[in-house]
Amino acid sequence: MADIAALAAALDGIEIATDRALLRQRSRDFYWYSPILKQRLDGKSAELLARPKDEAEVLRVLTECRAARVPVTVRGGATGNYGQCVPLDGGVLLDMTAMAAPVALTDGVVEVEAGAKMIDLDLWCRDRGWELKLWPSTKRTATIGGFVAGGGAGVGGISHGTMRERGNLVGARVATMQDPPRILDLEGIAANPVNRTYGTTGVLTRIRVPLTPAQAWRDVAIAFPDFVPASRFALDLSFADGIPKKMCGVFDSQLPPFFRGIAEAVPAGHALALVMVAPAAMTALRELAAEHGGRIVAEQDAVEAERDAEKTPFYEYCWNHTTLQVLKRDRGVSYLQCRFPFEDTLKAVEAVRIPFRDEVWMHTECVRFGGRLTMSALPVIRWTSAERLYEIIAAFEAQGIGIANPHVLTIEEGSGYRRVPGDQLGFKQMTDPLGLLNPGKMRDFTPPEPAAA
Ligand SMILES: Cc1cc2nc3c(=O)[nH]c(=O)nc-3n(C[C@H](O)[C@H](O)[C@H](O)COP(=O)(O)OP(=O)(O)OC[C@H]3O[C@@H](n4cnc5c(N)ncnc54)[C@H](O)[C@@H]3O)c2cc1C
């Protein structure tokens, strides 16, 4: 057991909290989407929360924790889905949200403190004529540090791929757990070991990401009589180089009734495509939708919608918000994350959608990987048991469909096709030799230095 009172005293001057109810509440993310993780993680809690305001305070916290051999788990917006920011071993929860200032925007690259909310960062860039290339559907609550360390896919993926694509992370400043803790400034692929490693390899203090010229995106909802034409439309849209686009999700007919705000516009039994396109592409979009038998049933200004707390930008029905929209009304579901093959994509989708239609409600998102386009999916799954889940996973894999299992805790087990290339294990051995950063989340790691103080 750590001497938390002594640690709190040593952190004098830094914002801290030790209230147990608050700690329990802050030690949670959205792991409860998974009944398996819920069982494993309920009740886990940090023993102290520290909220540093600058790099110097981050280093002070890490120095004291290293000296006392106290684990440190970093927290951004706590919207992760796999318990990434849930401390398995108590210790300190390092809340990064006080470090949220943009630092510079130069040559289309923004440097920002890692605790910045993505919506705030995007609006700041937008005021300067730029926007983020990628964001998660949790943009209104997630931090950029949490997106890099724990997410990495989402809106923008149809045009820019994911955070694992070369160039999508320009660089980062990272605080380590070395002796003594220090700041590393990593550029280009040198930053890969902190990309999607759940804060196990260092604390991101600043991040540099490339931007793209701002667009006045239109949110458009298109209803189709069936899932197959909706998917053909989505794939054609993905390949339509003349249409600037940010997003295209496709939903089988079971799902739109859960989308409060647009459900009434979608005729019963219809599949739905939700897209974000540039205003200049509206004619081309209308024509493409009509060619596939689709009809536009709702439309809005996407940027205005996300600025208005009363409105729902359409991306909040997409990506993993789809699961949340269903969970709001039906707690008996969970989900899966998968990626379909690049060739015969729709054939693979249909090979699993049709046989499992009663318990797997198909939802796909168009996305690029390594320059090739495909559909990834976050299907909603009617939950029966872990055994049944693994039967479904096996059936998907038998069709050549990649799985990034969201029902496990470690990077190695869960990342699948989302794993960022690079020597993350070797990097952690250098930056965290005692294994104090988010212990339990990197399966293959054993601390090179003895843990005893
Ligand atoms: C409804 C819903 C929809 C979602 N949609 C998407 C989506 O579209 N795309 C997607 O990728 N994800 C999605 N997610 C998952 C999650 O919202 C995103 O990955 C988000 O970017 C995480 O950011 P956060 O600030 O909430 O991170 P947190 O949950 O706070 O942290 C995530 C991980 O990053 C680590 N971390 C946080 N900050 C730092 C830092 N400064 N330095 C080092 N490590 C750090 C944490 O320790 C943890 O391991 C969704 C989740 C929900 C609940």
Side-chain angles (χ1 to χ4, degrees):
M1 276 296 277
D3 184 347
I4 294 300
L7 184 62
L11 297 178
D12 185 40
I14 297 176
E15 184 182 338
I16 60 164
T18 51
D19 177 75
R20 290 176 95 183
L22 178 102
L23 286 167
R24 265 202 306 277
Q25 183 230 329
R26 296 289 165 86
S27 298
R28 293 170 61 85
D29 63 10
F30 284 73
Y31 66 79
W32 52 267
Y33 271 33
S34 161
I36 296 173
L37 292 184
K38 184 166 168 27
Q39 205 175 18
R40 289 182 70 178
L41 295 180
D42 271 356
K44 300 275 181 205
S45 180
E47 295 155 282
L48 183 145
L49 179 143
R51 190 163 177 263
K53 65 175 184 309
D54 54 28
E55 280 182 348
E57 289 196 352
V58 171
L59 288 176
R60 259 188 73 201
V61 175
L62 297 187
T63 302
E64 294 301 336
C65 288
R66 190 179 208 285
R69 305 300 195 252
V70 171
V72 175
T73 304
V74 192
R75 181 189 200 272
T79 64
N81 282 118
Y82 333 120
Q84 295 112 302
C85 76
V86 177
L88 300 184
D89 241 351
V92 167
L93 197 59
L94 193 69
D95 179 337
M96 295 301 290
T97 54
M99 293 175 64
V103 178
L105 197 170
T106 317
D107 295 336
V109 174
V110 67
E111 180 166 27
V112 61
E113 289 186 313
K117 253 197 226 176
M118 294 193 77
I119 178 88
D120 297 339
L121 175 61
D122 193 50
L123 292 177
W124 186 85
C125 296
R126 193 164 268 280
D127 284 345
R128 288 154 182 80
W130 298 91
E131 66 176 52
L132 293 172
K133 287 166 86 174
L134 300 173
W135 64 74
S137 60
T138 44
K139 180 186 188 182
R140 297 206 278 189
T141 40
T143 64
I144 181 79
F147 185 57
V148 172
V155 180
I158 191 170
S159 296
H160 308 294
T162 66
M163 281 301 295
R164 75 191 291 287
E165 297 297 332
R166 190 185 285 272
N168 278 345
L169 177 62
V170 173
R173 283 170 68 85
V174 183
T176 72
M177 263 291 192
Q178 287 161 288
D179 184 17
R182 68 200 68 167
I183 299 288
L184 305 179
D185 199 327
L186 309 171
E187 186 79 2
I189 55 170
N192 277 8
V194 294
N195 192 346
R196 213 167 185 284
T197 44
Y198 300 0
T200 59
T201 52
V203 178
L204 297 160
T205 57
R206 284 190 193 178
I207 288 167
R208 295 186 290 280
V209 285
L211 304 171
T212 185
Q215 283 275 6
W217 298 109
R218 299 292 303 167
D219 272 343
V220 188
I222 308 165
F224 293 84
D226 186 42
F227 183 83
V228 171
S231 301
R232 291 212 175 99
F233 155 81
L235 288 167
D236 279 0
L237 174 66
S238 304
F239 288 110
D241 288 337
I243 302 184
K245 51 202 163 284
K246 199 81 180 180
M247 181 185 82
C248 179
V250 183
F251 308 87
D252 204 354
S253 58
Q254 304 99 327
L255 291 164
F258 291 95
F259 298 171
R260 231 178 66 135
I262 51 173
E264 282 176 9
V266 184
H270 276 52
L272 180 69
L274 291 177
V275 305
M276 286 171 74
V277 295
M282 280 306 295
T283 301
L285 181 78
R286 260 189 220 104
E287 289 167 354
L288 185 62
E291 278 171 28
H292 290 278
R295 188 167 62 81
I296 294 180
V297 292
E299 201 186 322
Q300 66 181 5
D301 177 326
V303 181
E304 190 192 284
E306 73 175 4
R307 283 179 194 224
D308 184 342
E310 301 298 312
K311 292 191 173 159
T312 306
F314 285 4
Y315 63 70
E316 288 184 3
Y317 300 112
C318 293
W319 292 92
N320 218 0
H321 264 80
T322 308
T323 319
L324 184 62
Q325 299 293 356
V326 180
L327 280 165
K328 280 180 192 168
R329 292 188 22 211
D330 181 346
R331 292 300 278 256
V333 301
S334 188
Y335 76 115
L336 200 52
Q337 294 177 148
C338 52
R339 187 186 72 184
F340 294 101
F342 296 102
E343 303 295 329
D344 292 327
T345 304
L346 190 50
K347 197 169 150 200
V349 177
E350 288 300 277
V352 289
R353 184 183 73 95
I354 299 290
F356 291 106
R357 197 154 187 269
D358 288 341
E359 57 183 322
V360 180
W361 299 349
M362 191 53 76
H363 154 215
T364 64
E365 297 284 345
C366 298
V367 65
R368 294 171 72 90
F369 280 88
R372 292 195 291 170
L373 221 133
T374 186
M375 285 172 153
S376 61
L378 294 102
V380 173
I381 297 193
R382 166 70 51 207
W383 187 259
T384 42
S385 66
E387 290 70 32
R388 182 59 181 156
L389 173 76
Y390 280 97
E391 278 170 24
I392 294 170
I393 288 178
F396 273 55
E397 286 177 332
Q399 296 296 333
I401 299 164
I403 300 287
N405 187 350
H407 302 276
V408 292
L409 283 178
T410 66
I411 299 163
E412 291 89 338
E413 292 166 289
S415 296
Y417 56 86
R418 297 180 70 181
R419 186 86 187 258
V420 176
D423 181 15
Q424 299 162 340
L425 185 59
F427 187 81
K428 182 171 170 72
Q429 277 162 346
M430 189 257 293
T431 55
D432 184 25
L434 298 174
L436 293 172
L437 292 173
N438 207 354
K441 304 291 172 59
M442 190 184 274
R443 184 195 57 194
D444 298 341
F445 174 79
T446 43
E449 285 180 21

